[in-house]
PDB file of all heavy atoms in Angstrom:
ATOM      1  N   ARG M  29     100.263 110.251  91.284  1.00 96.00           N
ATOM      2  CA  ARG M  29      98.918 109.813  90.848  1.00 96.00           C
ATOM      3  C   ARG M  29      98.889 108.343  91.247  1.00 96.00           C
ATOM      4  O   ARG M  29      99.676 107.551  90.897  1.00 96.00           O
ATOM      5  CB  ARG M  29      98.761 109.997  89.227  1.00 96.00           C
ATOM      6  CG  ARG M  29      97.441 109.460  88.813  1.00 96.00           C
ATOM      7  CD  ARG M  29      97.190 109.910  87.319  1.00 96.00           C
ATOM      8  NE  ARG M  29      96.102 109.270  86.819  1.00 96.00           N
ATOM      9  CZ  ARG M  29      94.817 109.800  86.903  1.00 96.00           C
ATOM     10  NH1 ARG M  29      94.709 110.918  87.596  1.00 96.00           N
ATOM     11  NH2 ARG M  29      93.784 109.222  86.351  1.00 96.00           N
ATOM     12  N   VAL M  30      97.720 107.954  91.800  1.00 97.00           N
ATOM     13  CA  VAL M  30      97.454 106.604  92.278  1.00 97.00           C
ATOM     14  C   VAL M  30      96.113 106.040  91.791  1.00 97.00           C
ATOM     15  O   VAL M  30      95.103 106.827  92.008  1.00 97.00           O
ATOM     16  CB  VAL M  30      97.498 106.511  93.815  1.00 97.00           C
ATOM     17  CG1 VAL M  30      97.337 105.012  94.295  1.00 97.00           C
ATOM     18  CG2 VAL M  30      98.853 107.045  94.359  1.00 97.00           C
ATOM     19  N   ALA M  31      96.041 104.944  91.170  1.00 97.00           N
ATOM     20  CA  ALA M  31      94.858 104.342  90.836  1.00 97.00           C
ATOM     21  C   ALA M  31      94.514 103.257  91.733  1.00 97.00           C
ATOM     22  O   ALA M  31      95.367 102.366  92.037  1.00 97.00           O
ATOM     23  CB  ALA M  31      94.955 103.901  89.391  1.00 97.00           C
ATOM     24  N   ILE M  32      93.279 103.167  92.110  1.00 97.00           N
ATOM     25  CA  ILE M  32      92.936 102.121  93.085  1.00 97.00           C
ATOM     26  C   ILE M  32      91.801 101.245  92.406  1.00 97.00           C
ATOM     27  O   ILE M  32      90.660 101.851  92.166  1.00 97.00           O
ATOM     28  CB  ILE M  32      92.447 102.573  94.492  1.00 97.00           C
ATOM     29  CG1 ILE M  32      93.489 103.459  95.184  1.00 97.00           C
ATOM     30  CG2 ILE M  32      91.956 101.510  95.404  1.00 97.00           C
ATOM     31  CD1 ILE M  32      93.041 104.163  96.373  1.00 97.00           C
ATOM     32  N   ALA M  33      91.927  99.982  92.237  1.00 97.00           N
ATOM     33  CA  ALA M  33      90.913  98.991  91.659  1.00 97.00           C
ATOM     34  C   ALA M  33      90.197  98.479  92.890  1.00 97.00           C
ATOM     35  O   ALA M  33      90.819  97.770  93.762  1.00 97.00           O
ATOM     36  CB  ALA M  33      91.634  97.966  90.881  1.00 97.00           C
ATOM     37  N   GLY M  34      88.868  98.779  93.029  1.00 96.00           N
ATOM     38  CA  GLY M  34      88.089  98.339  94.146  1.00 96.00           C
ATOM     39  C   GLY M  34      87.729  99.478  94.954  1.00 96.00           C
ATOM     40  O   GLY M  34      88.463 100.067  95.684  1.00 96.00           O
ATOM     41  N   ALA M  35      86.461  99.948  94.944  1.00 95.00           N
ATOM     42  CA  ALA M  35      85.987 101.161  95.629  1.00 95.00           C
ATOM     43  C   ALA M  35      85.101 100.692  96.914  1.00 95.00           C
ATOM     44  O   ALA M  35      84.315 101.504  97.194  1.00 95.00           O
ATOM     45  CB  ALA M  35      85.305 101.998  94.740  1.00 95.00           C
ATOM     46  N   GLY M  36      85.417  99.579  97.448  1.00 92.00           N
ATOM     47  CA  GLY M  36      84.762  99.132  98.687  1.00 92.00           C
ATOM     48  C   GLY M  36      85.307  99.822  99.879  1.00 92.00           C
ATOM     49  O   GLY M  36      86.074 100.845  99.717  1.00 92.00           O
ATOM     50  N   ALA M  37      85.038  99.333 101.030  1.00 88.00           N
ATOM     51  CA  ALA M  37      85.509 100.075 102.210  1.00 88.00           C
ATOM     52  C   ALA M  37      86.985 100.130 102.349  1.00 88.00           C
ATOM     53  O   ALA M  37      87.573 101.218 102.578  1.00 88.00           O
ATOM     54  CB  ALA M  37      85.051  99.274 103.551  1.00 88.00           C
ATOM     55  N   VAL M  38      87.789  99.148 101.909  1.00 89.00           N
ATOM     56  CA  VAL M  38      89.121  99.238 101.795  1.00 89.00           C
ATOM     57  C   VAL M  38      89.699 100.176 100.851  1.00 89.00           C
ATOM     58  O   VAL M  38      90.525 101.072 101.251  1.00 89.00           O
ATOM     59  CB  VAL M  38      89.800  97.783 101.524  1.00 89.00           C
ATOM     60  CG1 VAL M  38      91.327  97.866 101.411  1.00 89.00           C
ATOM     61  CG2 VAL M  38      89.421  96.800 102.668  1.00 89.00           C
ATOM     62  N   GLY M  39      89.253 100.210  99.598  1.00 93.00           N
ATOM     63  CA  GLY M  39      89.713 101.125  98.589  1.00 93.00           C
ATOM     64  C   GLY M  39      89.356 102.530  98.998  1.00 93.00           C
ATOM     65  O   GLY M  39      90.283 103.403  98.739  1.00 93.00           O
ATOM     66  N   ARG M  40      88.151 102.834  99.506  1.00 93.00           N
ATOM     67  CA  ARG M  40      87.898 104.149  99.900  1.00 93.00           C
ATOM     68  C   ARG M  40      88.741 104.718 101.091  1.00 93.00           C
ATOM     69  O   ARG M  40      89.094 105.870 101.127  1.00 93.00           O
ATOM     70  CB  ARG M  40      86.340 104.232 100.307  1.00 93.00           C
ATOM     71  CG  ARG M  40      85.509 104.022  99.141  1.00 93.00           C
ATOM     72  CD  ARG M  40      84.066 104.446  99.459  1.00 93.00           C
ATOM     73  NE  ARG M  40      83.455 103.874 100.660  1.00 93.00           N
ATOM     74  CZ  ARG M  40      82.784 102.695 100.774  1.00 93.00           C
ATOM     75  NH1 ARG M  40      82.581 102.036  99.629  1.00 93.00           N
ATOM     76  NH2 ARG M  40      82.360 102.113 101.839  1.00 93.00           N
ATOM     77  N   SER M  41      89.022 103.751 102.024  1.00 90.00           N
ATOM     78  CA  SER M  41      89.756 104.150 103.229  1.00 90.00           C
ATOM     79  C   SER M  41      91.238 104.606 102.737  1.00 90.00           C
ATOM     80  O   SER M  41      91.804 105.583 103.102  1.00 90.00           O
ATOM     81  CB  SER M  41      89.933 103.090 104.168  1.00 90.00           C
ATOM     82  OG  SER M  41      88.664 102.885 104.741  1.00 90.00           O
ATOM     83  N   ILE M  42      91.811 103.774 101.823  1.00 91.00           N
ATOM     84  CA  ILE M  42      93.149 104.013 101.244  1.00 91.00           C
ATOM     85  C   ILE M  42      93.076 105.290 100.505  1.00 91.00           C
ATOM     86  O   ILE M  42      93.921 106.195 100.621  1.00 91.00           O
ATOM     87  CB  ILE M  42      93.588 102.954 100.283  1.00 91.00           C
ATOM     88  CG1 ILE M  42      93.666 101.695 101.069  1.00 91.00           C
ATOM     89  CG2 ILE M  42      94.911 103.242  99.647  1.00 91.00           C
ATOM     90  CD1 ILE M  42      93.893 100.381 100.204  1.00 91.00           C
ATOM     91  N   ALA M  43      92.050 105.510  99.673  1.00 94.00           N
ATOM     92  CA  ALA M  43      91.891 106.760  98.921  1.00 94.00           C
ATOM     93  C   ALA M  43      91.855 108.021  99.806  1.00 94.00           C
ATOM     94  O   ALA M  43      92.505 108.956  99.531  1.00 94.00           O
ATOM     95  CB  ALA M  43      90.743 106.761  98.076  1.00 94.00           C
ATOM     96  N   GLY M  44      91.053 107.984 100.914  1.00 92.00           N
ATOM     97  CA  GLY M  44      91.072 109.080 101.766  1.00 92.00           C
ATOM     98  C   GLY M  44      92.404 109.417 102.395  1.00 92.00           C
ATOM     99  O   GLY M  44      92.752 110.602 102.506  1.00 92.00           O
ATOM    100  N   GLU M  45      93.088 108.425 102.822  1.00 89.00           N
ATOM    101  CA  GLU M  45      94.454 108.674 103.428  1.00 89.00           C
ATOM    102  C   GLU M  45      95.405 109.229 102.340  1.00 89.00           C
ATOM    103  O   GLU M  45      96.102 110.204 102.671  1.00 89.00           O
ATOM    104  CB  GLU M  45      95.080 107.381 103.951  1.00 89.00           C
ATOM    105  CG  GLU M  45      94.283 106.631 105.065  1.00 89.00           C
ATOM    106  CD  GLU M  45      94.703 107.353 106.379  1.00 89.00           C
ATOM    107  OE1 GLU M  45      95.689 108.108 106.452  1.00 89.00           O
ATOM    108  OE2 GLU M  45      93.915 107.223 107.348  1.00 89.00           O
ATOM    109  N   LEU M  46      95.346 108.794 101.167  1.00 93.00           N
ATOM    110  CA  LEU M  46      96.260 109.354 100.149  1.00 93.00           C
ATOM    111  C   LEU M  46      95.875 110.724  99.802  1.00 93.00           C
ATOM    112  O   LEU M  46      96.766 111.516  99.565  1.00 93.00           O
ATOM    113  CB  LEU M  46      96.224 108.385  98.876  1.00 93.00           C
ATOM    114  CG  LEU M  46      96.876 107.053  99.086  1.00 93.00           C
ATOM    115  CD1 LEU M  46      96.486 106.224  97.840  1.00 93.00           C
ATOM    116  CD2 LEU M  46      98.404 107.157  99.311  1.00 93.00           C
ATOM    117  N   LEU M  47      94.671 111.080  99.744  1.00 94.00           N
ATOM    118  CA  LEU M  47      94.146 112.367  99.331  1.00 94.00           C
ATOM    119  C   LEU M  47      94.664 113.326 100.467  1.00 94.00           C
ATOM    120  O   LEU M  47      94.963 114.535 100.239  1.00 94.00           O
ATOM    121  CB  LEU M  47      92.692 112.445  99.203  1.00 94.00           C
ATOM    122  CG  LEU M  47      92.194 111.797  97.882  1.00 94.00           C
ATOM    123  CD1 LEU M  47      90.733 111.538  97.937  1.00 94.00           C
ATOM    124  CD2 LEU M  47      92.475 112.633  96.696  1.00 94.00           C
TER     125      LEU M  47
END
Side-chain angles (χ1 to χ4, degrees):
R29 180 174 174 80
V30 182
I32 302 174
V38 173
R40 293 195 305 270
S41 295
I42 297 171
E45 292 284 341
L46 290 171
L47 287 164

